[in-house]
Amino acid sequence: MRRLGVILWRYWSTSLQAELEYRSNFLVQAFGSSLALAGSIFALTLFYRGGGFPGWTFEEGLVVQGLYSAFSGAIACVLSPNLSRIVQHVEAGTLDFVLLKPVDAQVTLSLRVISPWGLPDLVFGLAVIAWGAARAPARDGSVSLALLAVLFGALIIYGLWFVVATTSVWFTKIYNATEVLRGLLDAGRFPMAAYPAAYRFAFTFVMPVAFMTTVPAELLLGRGQPTMLLGSALIALVLLVASRAFWRFALKSYTGASG
Amino acid sequence: MAEAGAPIIEAIGLTKTFKVAQKPPGFAASVRHFFKRTYKEIPAVTDVSFTIRPGEMVGFLGANGAGKTTTLKMLTGLLHPTAGRCVVDGREPFARTRDFLSAITLVMGNKQQLLWDLPARDTLRLNAAIYGISDADYKSRVDELSGMLELTDKLDQPVRKLSLGERMKAELLASLLHGPKVLFLDEPTLGLDVNAQVAVRAFLRRYNERTGATILMTSHYMADITALCSRVLVIHEGKLVHDGELAALLRRFGTRRELRVELSHAVDDAKLRTLGEVLSHEGNVARLAVEPAALVAVVGRALAELPVVDLTVHDPPIEEVVGRVIGKSQRALPNVVGAEQGA
């Protein structure tokens, strides 16, 4: 465990160092990141004018929006820079180096780099959650259950994303697929009550975005049943095991870039 | 762990077949290909068997696409063999256990693991963490290897600012930091100038002498092989066609000598052909292949009949020897493998 800690520290410090090597790129990224933040705030004001969704007060809806922003930030920090690199590794043949190191390849591929550009969204999201939850109608919500739900939600997204990224071992041009996934995750911006029943079903069981934002928000606000957490945990577990099995299966047919 | 004297690398009937999508040219064919793919099984490596003892330096020769890299990838656990098996340092490579990965290294001349934007030292520290090397060991190994590679003052420059030769040396340093017992080198001198090639070769020889590491290397530069490897494996179209001493290979297939003549003025090609096979003839310089028995007579005739300015006799370049091995194997070579083994 300690060894893994040292490795992650080296992974992340080198990736941040590399980011700092290019000053102009750093400035452009910082600018882009603040624009994205401004976009999130603008989306929030639109939402406010709409007057909320059935069964959800404005403040409760804010918690969902805050969770969505925090998730997007976390995805931009860890998930998307790492998993989009799998495609590059397969194309350039540098996946060989990942496989040759005595560190679990899935760990390296999932956590190799960290990008600071999701941080503004992450911090903004957390602030919106705190602000919304403090002003929402008082019920006996549970912070620890909500945190668990967030953890499971994160594992669910990770599992799905990793499976899609793994398919690049066969289809190198998979970059679009992760973009589609990103678009679908946008559905998590609003409480599930905002969608027609058929979509709700799909967002819960087909593409489980409900577990990303709505479920943690309901637990935090004391609106949900702890049994939801069980469902969330189950899906997370299944997806994690599936992503690992799928990765091992993919490696059997990995042929390398130069054969 | 391999016992002393037991082979450290063992390939037994190693076979790899790739499934490759087939597409005829043209738009209509592309549309059909989109809906229905037809695949063809391409054998990349077929029934390759050999053993290598600890401390050996073995050259792996063959044309592009002959199956060298595929074999190396199976031996390093990157590719799963379609049939047959291999054992390296007593372990099955594709399981890629921590012990196995810590005992080997693969250096690829066309790919690099160094972090492009950062000094090589950052990659070295990262590798030290990955292989669990202690601070004291890290320091002594970096000092030793960077001294051998004459790289000490280059480790703090961003990798992108290093020359190609320096980058290859840094790549070797990063690949050898964990003290692997078995080195797989795939074109380690690719693209390097002659000085850098010589430096890398000298390093590999010293590394082998100092650590007793086993080395299996491919190279397009025959000088790498002649300088380092006393034994060579030759692979052609996925099949092993020669396994034995380099000297035996040269004796068996490289009996002809090469005669190089420089002339004061151009002569007719036909005139040169009366002396031996013309390998090349450009301007006033010609290279001829001559049977050894006829060498003295041919030299005498050349001096008498041609306006010779300079004349030298060489061993044939090993490319030509390998070409002849391959050429003979295409005409149903009697099983060379085994005949040369243990020579």
Side-chain angles (χ1 to χ4, degrees):
Chain A
M1 217 47 207
R2 194 181 155 268
R3 192 177 134 255
L4 186 65
V6 176
I7 293 172
L8 284 182
W9 161 246
R10 291 275 172 223
Y11 275 174
W12 292 346
S13 61
T14 49
S15 74
L16 290 175
Q17 272 169 267
E19 200 86 52
L20 287 168
E21 271 295 301
Y22 298 96
R23 277 189 292 188
S24 53
N25 179 59
F26 191 91
L27 291 176
V28 170
Q29 288 280 8
F31 181 65
S33 187
S34 23
L35 274 188
L37 185 59
S40 295
I41 295 170
F42 177 67
L44 212 59
T45 61
L46 287 182
F47 178 44
Y48 173 67
R49 284 197 206 150
F53 301 104
W56 290 76
T57 67
F58 169 62
E59 287 81 6
E60 288 176 327
L62 271 190
V63 173
V64 176
Q65 168 70 36
L67 277 162
Y68 174 77
S69 287
F71 261 115
S72 309
I75 287 172
C77 278
V78 187
L79 207 54
S80 106
N82 280 299
L83 298 188
S84 58
R85 275 164 62 112
I86 296 182
V87 182
Q88 294 168 19
H89 277 313
V90 173
E91 265 180 348
T94 45
L95 185 60
D96 292 350
F97 288 120
V98 176
L99 297 174
L100 285 168
K101 294 285 187 289
V103 182
D104 189 281
Q106 190 173 357
V107 170
T108 299
L109 291 172
S110 307
L111 296 170
R112 173 64 184 86
V113 295
I114 195 160
S115 155
W117 309 117
L119 276 181
D121 248 1
L122 183 61
V123 172
F124 171 71
L126 293 176
V128 170
I129 297 169
W131 196 86
R135 279 162 190 74
R139 295 196 191 93
D140 55 341
S142 162
V143 175
S144 48
L145 285 186
L147 281 177
L148 270 179
V150 165
L151 173 71
F152 295 141
L155 291 177
I156 288 171
I157 299 175
Y158 165 75
L160 279 174
W161 206 307
F162 192 79
V163 167
V164 172
T166 298
T167 56
S168 60
V169 168
W170 296 280
F171 322 110
T172 24
K173 297 247 167 1
I174 206 68
Y175 192 72
N176 302 331
T178 52
E179 284 304 305
V180 170
L181 202 57
R182 209 189 170 86
L184 279 171
L185 292 181
D186 267 355
R189 192 185 282 273
F190 306 113
M192 279 303 116
Y195 300 97
Y199 283 88
R200 246 180 269 174
F201 180 82
F203 288 151
T204 310
F205 298 106
V206 182
M207 183 62 215
V209 282
F211 291 102
M212 186 175 89
T213 53
T214 305
V215 170
E218 294 197 318
L219 289 168
L220 181 67
L221 298 167
R223 299 165 45 106
Q225 307 298 323
T227 47
M228 287 171 149
L229 198 59
L230 216 62
S232 192
L234 202 68
I235 295 184
L237 187 72
V238 167
L239 278 171
L240 272 189
V241 172
S243 74
R244 187 135 191 96
F246 191 58
W247 168 245
R248 286 175 180 243
F249 171 69
L251 275 190
K252 279 225 166 190
S253 44
Y254 172 61
T255 56
S258 55
Chain B
M1 288 290 295
E3 291 166 32
I8 194 160
I9 301 175
E10 206 173 357
I12 307 136
L14 214 48
T15 299
K16 181 75 192 176
T17 308
F18 291 118
K19 223 167 110 182
V20 180
Q22 298 289 301
K23 191 189 86 63
F27 180 73
S30 285
V31 173
R32 275 198 299 279
H33 181 70
F34 184 84
F35 290 105
K36 187 174 182 299
R37 309 235 153 169
T38 46
Y39 293 95
K40 197 175 155 194
E41 304 257 312
I42 308 266
V45 172
T46 311
D47 197 21
V48 165
S49 302
F50 58 85
T51 57
I52 294 176
R53 289 184 305 279
E56 268 192 282
M57 291 175 93
V58 179
F60 200 15
L61 304 177
N64 284 332
K68 299 182 302 265
T69 303
T70 304
T71 306
L72 287 190
K73 285 189 168 183
M74 285 191 278
L75 292 173
T76 49
L78 291 171
L79 289 181
H80 189 251
T82 313
R85 63 191 192 93
C86 48
V87 180
V88 174
D89 194 31
R91 301 177 182 93
E92 195 262 310
F94 194 72
R96 287 210 312 280
T97 59
R98 192 174 154 69
D99 285 346
F100 169 75
L101 294 173
S102 301
I104 65 144
T105 199
L106 171 64
V107 177
M108 292 173 276
N110 58 348
K111 292 176 198 166
Q112 63 159 21
Q113 61 165 324
L114 296 169
L115 299 165
W116 182 249
D117 292 316
L118 302 179
R121 213 180 278 281
D122 281 300
T123 307
L124 298 179
R125 285 214 193 99
L126 177 61
N127 279 3
I130 286 172
Y131 288 101
I133 300 169
S134 72
D135 287 349
D137 282 354
Y138 167 77
K139 208 183 156 322
S140 71
R141 286 201 68 87
V142 171
D143 285 350
E144 184 192 359
L145 290 170
S146 62
M148 283 169 82
L149 287 160
E150 295 166 358
L151 205 62
T152 314
D153 55 336
K154 303 285 182 188
L155 294 180
D156 294 309
Q157 289 175 20
V159 169
R160 63 172 192 272
K161 302 265 167 69
L162 298 179
S163 71
L164 200 58
E166 290 164 349
R167 221 180 291 150
M168 192 60 226
K169 287 178 178 179
E171 191 71 32
L172 278 168
L173 175 44
S175 306
L176 298 176
L177 192 63
H178 59 289
K181 279 192 271 182
V182 186
L183 278 57
F184 296 98
L185 311 174
D186 195 10
E187 304 280 349
T189 51
L190 193 71
L192 303 188
D193 65 35
V194 175
N195 286 337
Q197 283 180 32
V198 169
V200 167
R201 258 174 237 147
F203 168 77
L204 290 173
R205 173 169 292 287
R206 252 177 300 148
Y207 186 85
N208 168 265
E209 283 165 3
R210 257 193 217 189
T211 63
T214 310
I215 298 180
L216 177 60
M217 69 184 289
T218 76
S219 180
H220 264 93
Y221 300 110
M222 294 306 162
D224 285 348
I225 306 292
T226 45
L228 294 175
C229 307
S230 54
R231 176 180 164 201
V232 289
L233 304 171
V234 182
I235 191 168
H236 177 61
E237 290 179 351
K239 297 192 182 84
L240 198 62
V241 294
H242 175 89
D243 175 359
E245 289 195 1
L246 179 62
L249 181 75
L250 292 171
R251 268 201 309 276
R252 193 177 173 115
F253 296 104
T255 50
R256 293 193 304 179
R257 312 298 301 275
E258 185 185 314
L259 187 66
R260 184 181 172 282
V261 283
E262 197 181 327
L263 309 166
S264 60
H265 57 266
V267 296
D268 209 29
D269 224 28
K271 175 83 187 156
L272 290 170
R273 274 200 294 273
T274 62
L275 298 170
E277 188 193 336
V278 180
L279 298 172
S280 72
H281 182 200
E282 279 173 35
N284 291 351
V285 179
R287 285 166 52 242
L288 305 168
V290 183
E291 294 299 329
L295 186 65
V296 175
V298 169
V299 169
R301 274 184 58 206
L303 290 171
E305 298 170 21
L306 299 172
V308 172
V309 177
D310 189 20
L311 183 150
T312 47
V313 179
H314 303 274
D315 278 335
I318 197 164
E319 285 93 336
E320 195 205 318
V321 178
V322 170
R324 296 182 70 187
V325 175
I326 290 167
K328 288 207 176 176
S329 79
Q330 277 167 331
R331 297 191 298 271
L333 186 78
N335 196 6
V336 187
V337 179
E340 296 292 339
Q341 222 158 6

